[in-house]
């Protein structure tokens, strides 16, 4: 017996039990509830704001293709979430997935980023809802708030938005004390929102004019391809740039995966709800962006409220107000979907001792983490009141993309793992979180064994300790190559695709070849054969593509986003170093049996 190294503590993995004895949250949600939650969380800003902004400033009529490309990227991430949601039906989403497959430290990083995603996302929707309503009311609230609570600092809003603060607090109270009732309200709002989207598509189809996809704008200056008309007025590069923006219109479906402990049949309901919600969301975006650009020229769109603007311009004032009301309903449903996962992530991390445990205490009466929910609502309302919408949206993206990347990595590790089933019980009754791989004698990973297994010369059919180690190294190399390939495409795209310079093509070809070689080496390794309700097809190809796309989109974010991300991560790492590292569940469990340190069997 020996004391564990720091590396082993950081990479210790969680073992789960699904016998129901440890469940505290009420299982009251079904597939329809989850689908409505995913659609409601996502189908808000994308329909009522994003389509007009992308069509006017980035893609023109090809915004429909931008949404298609973004949907494909999101669908890859959705497949990975669906498999994990079926295998690991626990609260915590990507946090719990990475804890099961990779280890504690990476799980903390992902959980911390998910908290950033949901809190900032909720704050941005609450602020957007306030601005949307205030626009319809001729800026009445803004005028009054500037008189009552002006803010002089440049990096904040010019006033404290009491409406954004209040709506976040009220919704947080509803989530804390009445989950089932609040879910029913969300379902009703989501169904109504879908009917309004359907109305927009049908009404717009009546006034559609294909000439609007072919005409040339007059007196319009653009940074790219100024004055060009047609379906690609900004070039195909503009379509891809629009896809990067449209991708964030699909952020929100992962809230379904945070509800694992509150679903009646999670192994079937979660995958179905994720895939159904993504399909519905794409059809809505595709339909709205199509009629939007067919009814009114893309260069005349209103970037803040495109749908009411279009119906107002064609003289359909009754439709304008139907859509305006629909925007409020859609944003309320989106706010509910954005706030719903917050306390679930906090609950999961607090239960493991990585953050303060009081945040994860579940009320015996309401079956929800009341204190954690109210704290998340308070933080959301405060940020929504203090910061303007642009600042909030700029802070949203990076945590989501990192979470998507780690989930895809976890799928690769899980599929080729020696012990793939996260529900496999430990042979030790004293430490349920101990990995079974650490409780049995391991085959020693020597250099010769590693290189022999790299090409699977032994033709083994089931994963071993050596093959799992080989896959871990290959996945790490693949991620590094994906970063290098993304940087090459991003910074040398002109030399590759336009100037056709030899050095650029050699560099691109070598990196692409090595990337495909690594995927091939992963694919010939032995795989686990555990039964699962849902499995990602074409592994390792589809998770590999998802990893590359997410990394590329992360590199497109501006430097200020990375700086804010660095500050947030600095706070989180300090919390883990001084609290989570010493108070995680395994350490506390060990101390209850009189152990001063965790024991590992070699």
């Amino acid at each position: 017996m020996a004391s564990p190294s720091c590396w082993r503590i950081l990479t210790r993995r969680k073992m789960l039990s699904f016998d129901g004895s440890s469940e505290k949250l009420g299982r009251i949600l079904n597939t329809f509830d989850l689908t409505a939650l995913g659609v409601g969380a996502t189908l808000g800003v994308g329909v009522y704001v994003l389509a007009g902004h992308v069509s006017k400033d980035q893609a023109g009529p090809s915004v429909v293709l931008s949404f298609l490309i973004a949907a494909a990227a999101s669908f890859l991430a959705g497949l990975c979430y669906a498999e994990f949601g079926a295998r690991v039906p626990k609260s915590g989403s990507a946090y719990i997935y990475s804890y099961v497959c990779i280890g504690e430290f990476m799980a903390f990083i992902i959980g911390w980023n998910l908290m950033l995603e949901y809190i900032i996302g909720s704050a941005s929707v609450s602020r957007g809802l306030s601005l949307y309503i205030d626009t319809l009311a001729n800026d009445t609230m803004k005028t009054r708030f500037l008189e009552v609570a002006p803010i002089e600092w440049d990096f904040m809003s010019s006033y404290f938005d009491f409406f954004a603060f209040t709506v976040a607090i009220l919704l947080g109270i509803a989530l804390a004390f009445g989950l089932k009732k609040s879910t029913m309200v969300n379902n009703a709002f989501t169904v109504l929102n879908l009917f309004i989207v359907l109305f927009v598509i049908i009404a717009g189809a009546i006034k559609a004019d294909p000439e609007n996809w072919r005409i040339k704008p007059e007196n319009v200056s653009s940074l790219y391809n100024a004055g060009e008309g047609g379906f690609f007025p900004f070039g195909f590069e503009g379509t891809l740039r629009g896809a990067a923006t449209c991708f964030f219109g699909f952020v929100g479906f992962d809230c379904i995966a945070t509800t694992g402990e509150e679903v009646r049949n999670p192994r079937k309901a979660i995958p179905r709800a994720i895939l159904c919600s993504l399909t519905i969301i794409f059809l809505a975006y595709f339909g709205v962006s199509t009629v939007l650009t067919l009814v009114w020229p893309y260069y005349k769109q209103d970037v803040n409220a495109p749908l009411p603007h279009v119906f107002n311009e064609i003289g359909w004032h009754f439709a304008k107000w139907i859509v305006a009301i629909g925007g409020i309903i859609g944003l309320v449903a989106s706010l509910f979907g954005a706030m719903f996962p917050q306390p679930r992530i906090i609950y999961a991390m607090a239960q493991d001792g990585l953050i303060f445990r009081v945040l994860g205490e579940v009320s015996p009466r309401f079956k929800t983490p009341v204190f954690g929910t109210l704290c998340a609502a308070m933080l959301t309302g405060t940020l929504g009141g203090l910061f303007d919408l642009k600042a909030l949206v700029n802070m949203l993206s990076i945590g989501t993309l990192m979470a998507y990347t780690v989930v895809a990595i976890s799928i690769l590790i899980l599929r080729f793992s020696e012990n793939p089933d996260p529900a496999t019980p430990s042979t030790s009754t004293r430490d349920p979180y101990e990995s079974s791989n650490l409780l049995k004698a391991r085959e020693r990973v020597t250099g010769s064994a590693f290189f022999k297994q790299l090409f699977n010369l032994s033709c083994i059919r089931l994963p071993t300790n050596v093959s799992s180690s080989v896959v871990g190294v290959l996945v790490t190399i693949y991620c590094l190559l994906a970063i290098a390939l993304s940087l090459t495409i991003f910074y040398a795209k002109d030399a590759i695709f336009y100037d056709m310079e030899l050095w650029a093509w050699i560099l691109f070809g070598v990196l692409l070849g090595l990337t495909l070689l690594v995927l091939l080496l992963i694919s010939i390794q032995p795989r686990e054969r555990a039964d699962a309700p849902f499995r990602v097809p074409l592994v390792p190809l589809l998770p590999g593509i998802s990893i590359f796309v997410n990394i590329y989109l992360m590199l497109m974010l501006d430097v200020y986003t990375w700086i804010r991300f660095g500050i947030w991560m600095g706070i989180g790492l300090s919390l883990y170093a001084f609290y989570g590292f010493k108070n995680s569940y395994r350490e506390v469990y060990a101390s209850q049996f009189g152990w001063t340190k965790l024991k590992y069997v070699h």
Side-chain angles (χ1 to χ4, degrees):
M1 304 292 252
S3 300
S5 66
C6 181
W7 173 252
R8 285 193 175 182
I9 294 176
L10 294 177
T11 57
R12 55 193 177 192
R13 301 194 297 179
K14 186 173 184 177
M15 300 301 296
L16 303 177
S17 172
F18 300 114
D19 57 7
S21 59
S22 61
E23 293 180 359
K24 299 179 181 180
L25 302 177
R27 291 192 177 274
I28 58 177
L29 304 178
N30 55 34
T31 303
F32 179 79
D33 294 331
L34 294 182
T35 303
L37 179 66
V39 173
T42 312
L43 199 62
V45 176
V47 165
Y48 297 104
V49 177
L50 200 61
H53 163 66
V54 174
S55 64
K56 183 174 183 178
D57 297 334
Q58 294 179 312
S62 67
V63 63
V64 296
L65 294 184
S66 296
F67 275 114
L68 178 61
I69 296 170
S74 301
F75 192 76
L76 292 175
L79 289 174
C80 298
Y81 269 90
E83 176 168 341
F84 265 120
R87 285 178 178 262
V88 193
K90 292 284 185 177
S91 289
S93 184
Y95 160 74
I96 205 72
Y97 306 161
S98 56
Y99 209 156
V100 167
C101 291
I102 300 179
E104 180 177 292
F105 180 67
M106 184 57 70
F108 176 84
I109 290 178
I110 294 306
W112 192 248
N113 279 284
L114 286 174
M115 289 173 60
L116 174 68
E117 172 194 341
Y118 292 131
I119 290 174
I120 297 298
S122 302
S124 64
V125 176
S126 66
R127 185 76 181 210
L129 177 62
S130 175
L131 294 174
Y132 193 92
I133 294 176
D134 203 22
T135 300
L136 299 177
N138 297 319
D139 293 337
T140 302
M141 289 192 296
K142 177 180 178 181
T143 303
R144 183 59 177 166
F145 294 157
L146 279 171
E147 296 175 358
V148 175
I151 299 177
E152 303 296 334
W153 294 306
D154 293 336
F155 62 92
M156 290 186 178
S157 172
S158 58
Y159 61 92
F160 186 85
D161 194 328
F162 290 99
F163 183 88
F165 175 82
T166 303
V167 73
I169 297 298
L170 292 177
L171 193 50
I173 293 173
L175 287 170
F177 297 110
L179 174 61
K180 184 59 181 178
K181 293 180 181 179
S182 58
T183 303
M184 293 172 62
V185 172
N186 177 72
N187 292 349
F189 274 29
T190 300
V191 170
L192 186 56
N193 189 23
L194 287 174
F195 273 113
I196 293 174
V197 169
L198 189 61
F199 167 79
V200 169
I201 295 174
I202 295 174
I206 297 174
K207 299 290 291 184
D209 182 3
E211 285 298 317
N212 286 325
W213 277 9
R214 293 192 289 266
I215 61 177
K216 183 176 181 180
E218 299 176 0
N219 300 322
V220 175
S221 60
S222 172
L223 187 61
Y224 299 94
N225 301 319
E228 294 186 7
F231 191 72
F232 296 98
F234 299 90
F236 190 69
E237 182 182 352
T239 304
L240 293 177
R241 197 165 52 252
T245 303
C246 291
F247 173 82
F248 305 117
F250 290 86
V251 171
F253 75 87
D254 55 336
C255 69
I256 296 172
T258 67
T259 63
E261 292 185 44
E262 298 160 273
V263 184
R264 292 170 187 164
N265 189 2
R267 293 186 182 274
K268 292 183 178 180
I270 291 178
R272 291 173 181 173
I274 288 176
L275 299 181
C276 286
S277 63
L278 279 175
T279 302
I280 293 171
I281 292 162
F282 164 68
L283 292 175
Y285 284 165
F286 188 86
V288 169
S289 59
T290 298
V291 300
L292 192 69
T293 50
L294 283 174
V295 172
W296 201 244
Y298 74 90
Y299 55 90
K300 294 183 179 180
Q301 298 287 343
D302 187 312
V303 296
N304 295 318
L307 292 176
H309 174 75
V310 165
F311 284 114
N312 184 66
E313 290 297 321
I314 65 175
W316 288 19
H317 300 290
F318 75 96
K320 167 190 173 181
W321 286 106
I322 290 176
V323 173
I325 295 172
I328 297 174
I329 294 173
L331 289 171
V332 170
S334 182
L335 179 59
F336 177 90
M339 291 189 66
F340 187 89
Q342 291 178 9
R344 276 74 196 163
I345 294 294
I346 295 173
Y347 162 78
M349 297 182 71
Q351 288 289 305
D352 293 330
L354 297 181
I355 60 175
F356 304 115
R357 291 183 176 277
V358 67
L359 297 173
E361 293 181 357
V362 176
S363 167
R365 178 180 176 184
F366 299 105
K367 299 293 184 181
T368 59
V370 173
F371 184 69
T373 303
L374 295 179
C375 287
M378 180 64 70
L379 182 56
T380 296
T382 302
L383 291 176
L386 288 175
F387 293 95
D388 60 33
L389 184 59
K390 182 179 179 180
L392 292 169
V393 170
N394 288 339
M395 296 169 62
L396 175 63
S397 316
I398 194 166
T400 305
L401 288 169
M402 181 168 287
Y404 289 179
T405 302
V406 173
V407 170
I409 291 172
S410 298
I411 285 291
L412 292 177
I413 294 175
L414 179 72
R415 194 61 67 86
F416 297 91
S417 173
E418 181 184 9
N419 179 28
D421 189 358
T424 300
S426 169
T427 58
S428 169
T429 58
R430 296 189 301 173
D431 188 2
Y433 275 38
E434 184 65 84
S435 170
S436 62
N437 289 342
L438 295 174
L439 293 174
K440 62 185 179 181
R442 287 185 160 193
E443 178 185 356
R444 188 174 180 182
V445 183
T446 61
S448 59
F450 183 92
F451 285 105
K452 184 179 179 180
Q453 183 57 50
L454 182 63
F455 301 99
N456 199 14
L457 298 178
S458 301
C459 297
I460 60 175
R461 297 184 177 181
L462 293 177
T464 65
N465 179 42
V466 177
S467 68
S468 298
S469 300
V470 168
V471 170
V473 172
L474 289 175
V475 170
T476 302
I477 294 174
Y478 176 82
C479 292
L480 295 175
L481 287 172
I483 293 173
L485 185 60
S486 298
L487 287 171
T488 301
I489 295 174
F490 186 74
Y491 288 106
K493 57 180 179 291
D494 290 339
I496 296 173
F497 301 111
Y498 299 110
D499 300 334
M500 304 293 289
E501 296 187 17
L502 181 61
W503 68 268
W505 271 101
I506 292 176
L507 178 61
F508 175 75
V510 169
L511 290 175
L512 181 61
L514 290 175
T515 302
L516 295 176
L517 176 61
V518 170
L519 283 179
L520 178 62
L521 292 176
I522 294 175
S523 68
I524 65 175
Q525 301 303 315
R527 308 178 184 219
E528 53 88 13
R529 298 182 180 180
D531 293 331
F534 180 85
R535 297 169 72 88
V536 178
L538 299 178
V539 173
L541 180 61
L542 291 187
I545 294 174
S546 180
I547 291 170
F548 171 77
V549 171
N550 295 334
I551 289 175
Y552 183 79
L553 291 175
M554 277 193 285
L555 293 176
M556 295 181 67
L557 298 173
D558 61 80
V559 65
Y560 296 105
T561 300
W562 284 96
I563 292 174
R564 288 188 288 265
F565 176 71
I567 294 173
W568 175 258
M569 286 306 303
I571 297 172
L573 292 176
S574 299
L575 176 62
Y576 180 75
F578 293 104
Y579 182 84
F581 186 81
K582 298 180 180 179
N583 292 276
S584 65
Y585 183 91
R586 298 183 59 164
E587 296 287 349
V588 173
Y589 195 94
S591 66
Q592 290 175 351
F593 288 91
W595 305 339
T596 56
K597 294 181 179 179
L598 290 175
K599 304 292 196 308
Y600 293 81
V601 176
H602 294 277

